[in-house]
Amino acid sequence: MSNQQKANALIERGNELHNSGDKLSAAPYYREAAELFPPYASFMLVAADSYLAGGKYRDAAAAYRHVIAAHPDHDQAIGGLKKAEKMAAKQAKKNSDLSDLAPVGASDAKGGGFMKKMFGRG
């Protein structure tokens, strides 16, 4: 089986998922097809847009970079990359802000739990 045939099979599966509304699951198929068979590079952009819409900002940025490497002046990919990087940074900040919270134990040595400590209930 040639690379084009393999890429066609990947795109077919990606299209099934995409058309059923599961764009995020379709993205890896499109990405692999574009990597496997360079004339299908436009599917990398579809994958990038799908990752972005699905909140997979790092994956989106990587896919946009792949498009930009092949087409440095691709306005849609450049704009998508900027948005993906901005959202990834925002997500990383949010995650780091949450990591400062102290974990709450289920119970203490006397058998009292969180609810008892906070609200006087057990």
Side-chain angles (χ1 to χ4, degrees):
M1 183 181 283
S2 72
N3 282 353
Q4 183 177 6
Q5 290 170 323
K6 291 176 188 174
N8 287 342
L10 291 165
I11 289 169
E12 186 176 324
R13 180 63 181 137
N15 285 343
E16 290 170 2
L17 292 165
H18 193 272
N19 292 337
S20 73
D22 194 357
K23 295 178 182 180
L24 193 54
S25 293
Y29 291 96
Y30 291 144
R31 185 175 188 163
E32 187 176 345
E35 290 171 345
L36 188 63
F37 191 64
Y40 290 171
S42 61
F43 284 98
M44 186 65 76
L45 185 61
V46 176
D49 290 342
S50 297
Y51 284 132
L52 184 65
K56 299 283 190 176
Y57 305 122
R58 288 184 189 178
D59 291 334
Y64 285 125
R65 283 188 199 99
H66 187 89
V67 174
I68 293 167
H71 304 282
D73 296 327
H74 197 291
D75 291 339
Q76 187 178 352
I78 292 167
L81 176 60
K82 288 178 184 177
K83 185 172 184 177
E85 288 176 336
K86 179 180 177 182
M87 296 304 292
K90 197 176 203 179
Q91 188 177 53
K93 181 176 179 356
K94 180 181 175 184
N95 290 344
S96 70
D97 289 347
L98 293 176
S99 69
D100 292 339
L101 298 176
V104 177
S107 65
D108 61 19
K110 296 178 186 174
F114 170 73
M115 295 296 286
K116 186 173 184 179
K117 288 181 183 178
M118 293 298 294
F119 305 106
R121 302 182 233 165

